[in-house]
Amino acid sequence: MRFLPFLSLLVLVRPAWGCYSVVVGKGASADGSVIFGHDEQNWGRRVVNLRVVPRMRHGPGEVVRLLRGGVLPEVGETYSFIWSEIPGMEFSDTYINEWGVAVASNYCPTREDSYEELVARGEIVDGGIGYMLRRLVVQRARTAREGVRLAGELIEKFGYTDSGRTLVIADPNEAWLLSIVRGKHWVARRVPDDEVALLPNLHIICEVDLSDTNNFMGSPDIVDYAVRRGWFEPDEGRPFSFRRAYNRSDARDPRQELGQFLVTGRWPDPGLEGLPFSVKPARPLTVGDVVAILRDDRISNAWTQEASVFQLRGWMPPEVGCVYWRTSGDPRTGPLVPWYLGITLSLIHI
């Protein structure tokens, strides 16, 4: 199978802060859209390919082969998607499919054991899953909620290979943050419709209530496992916090505080043990507001390989209602150009 890139740019980057995301609920945006902004920051000289992959039919017996050898059955039909690929970077690609389901991820290291130890314990099976997880979501999910469920099932089946990561999965109706621990543990929380989540390189989900299925999903033993590992002590009298239990470090990321300030106009209380998962904006946000956050000198820098903003408008057909605003490289100097979901290779091949 051959995918033809219609945009390929060489970007020079160096080591820096990791990625950063801004996730705006539909009730917190000025036009009623879900808005998802993302700075993708990596190291080295990188090529960025932008591709359109068409909807495909698959025959009986076809399988998907994962990067490290795992195999799962293919579905009868996979959806079309736009794919921003950074070759050589296993966890850096960004996607949006024909239904307006958009996916990107932030590195969020956890305190879990090494890949080799988890393989020995059976927590990672058949090489695990990492690289293909985001692509399988956009190939198979019509909604963000469906994508979270699918990703959770795959994590529990194979085990996740990276140290830890948060996937943002958004659609024109809602957005979720899916926080993954290396191995088979994960938790997801929906961003409230009237709030904004600012995601740096640490897990920001605190309280977890899996009985509230409208707003949470996750591994059934997410609390019990933390107790068994000594990461959470119920007898201390404090409520369970996923962030406190699973993050590798208890330190705040100043970019989360900065983002909340830029959205609310108020600095978070320095006495708080942890920042809130999301905040109510001082006013409804526009695409331009999200671009301004991604361009802030304290958030973006010369090592940003792609800045993107997904404007997901549910009251229009997705072909025109879902817009992928993007630039390859530093958004402080590059304009974000709108790529509509209805684009095709025959119209836009460059």
Side-chain angles (χ1 to χ4, degrees):
M1 188 179 300
R2 183 166 173 258
F3 301 146
L4 298 176
F6 60 74
L7 180 65
S8 181
L9 297 174
L10 185 67
V11 182
L12 175 63
V13 292
R14 292 177 289 170
W17 288 94
C19 305
Y20 191 84
S21 296
V22 183
V23 188
V24 183
K26 62 184 180 181
S29 68
D31 65 354
S33 63
V34 172
I35 305 176
F36 165 28
H38 182 74
D39 273 345
E40 181 64 41
Q41 297 172 346
N42 295 293
W43 52 270
R45 293 177 64 89
R46 297 289 167 187
V47 170
V48 180
N49 292 324
L50 191 63
R51 309 171 184 262
V52 169
V53 179
R55 189 182 271 222
M56 297 181 188
R57 293 189 179 276
H58 305 278
E62 286 192 44
V63 298
V64 175
R65 298 190 182 278
L66 304 180
L67 185 64
R68 293 177 174 82
V71 175
L72 69 154
E74 186 57 276
V75 294
E77 186 174 47
T78 51
Y79 302 131
S80 172
F81 57 91
I82 301 175
W83 172 18
S84 177
E85 178 196 21
I86 303 180
M89 301 297 292
E90 186 174 344
F91 299 97
S92 299
D93 295 353
T94 301
Y95 300 87
I96 181 170
N97 74 9
E98 63 183 273
W99 305 104
V101 177
V103 183
S105 70
N106 291 28
Y107 173 64
C108 299
T110 59
R111 62 200 306 180
E112 186 53 279
D113 297 327
S114 69
Y115 174 88
E116 292 75 16
E117 289 172 296
L118 290 174
V119 169
R121 292 212 311 263
E123 293 282 332
I124 292 180
V125 179
D126 295 333
I129 191 168
Y131 173 66
M132 286 292 294
L133 185 63
R134 287 156 296 163
R135 192 185 310 176
L136 287 165
V137 167
V138 295
Q139 284 180 319
R140 300 182 178 197
R142 295 181 60 151
T143 67
R145 186 178 295 263
E146 185 179 336
V148 171
R149 291 196 190 101
L150 170 64
E153 291 170 0
L154 292 170
I155 292 164
E156 292 177 3
K157 177 178 176 63
F158 292 101
Y160 197 68
T161 59
D162 193 23
S163 170
R165 190 157 292 271
T166 294
L167 269 60
V168 179
I169 306 179
D171 68 21
N173 185 55
E174 61 183 5
W176 289 76
L177 270 57
L178 168 61
S179 293
I180 311 170
V181 183
R182 174 183 277 155
K184 296 187 176 183
H185 291 92
W186 63 281
V187 69
R189 181 171 179 178
R190 189 176 70 87
V191 177
D193 289 342
D194 61 347
E195 297 192 1
V196 181
L198 292 306
L199 177 67
N201 291 112
L202 69 136
H203 295 299
I204 65 172
I205 296 174
C206 297
E207 67 273 13
V208 175
D209 181 5
L210 295 182
S211 66
D212 179 4
T213 56
N214 187 51
N215 294 295
F216 292 92
M217 288 185 264
S219 306
D221 66 341
I222 195 70
V223 177
D224 292 341
Y225 183 75
V227 173
R228 292 199 303 272
R229 297 303 306 271
W231 302 336
F232 172 55
E233 296 290 345
D235 295 339
E236 290 181 354
R238 294 194 298 179
F240 174 77
S241 166
F242 176 83
R243 173 170 55 191
R244 187 169 56 241
Y246 284 91
N247 267 327
R248 183 177 294 173
S249 170
D250 290 334
R252 291 187 181 185
D253 187 321
R255 295 176 305 156
Q256 187 186 12
E257 295 185 67
L258 172 63
Q260 292 190 1
F261 166 73
L262 294 174
V263 166
T264 66
R266 304 183 306 275
W267 284 104
D269 183 350
L272 290 175
E273 179 182 356
L275 298 177
F277 169 75
S278 55
V279 293
K280 295 183 184 296
R283 57 178 176 78
L285 300 185
T286 65
V287 168
D289 293 325
V290 175
V291 171
I293 295 173
L294 297 180
R295 282 177 169 161
D296 191 284
D297 289 334
R298 295 157 292 182
I299 290 173
S300 187
N301 49 49
W303 310 298
T304 303
Q305 289 177 326
E306 179 187 47
S308 54
V309 177
F310 296 97
Q311 182 184 17
L312 308 174
R313 300 176 291 187
W315 61 93
M316 300 181 186
E319 294 83 359
V320 294
C322 297
V323 188
Y324 181 3
W325 300 82
R326 68 177 303 280
T327 185
S328 291
D330 188 347
R332 297 171 304 172
T333 56
L336 275 73
V337 176
W339 299 84
Y340 286 83
L341 199 52
I343 59 180
T344 66
L345 285 173
S346 61
L347 293 177
I348 307 184
H349 180 64
I350 296 175

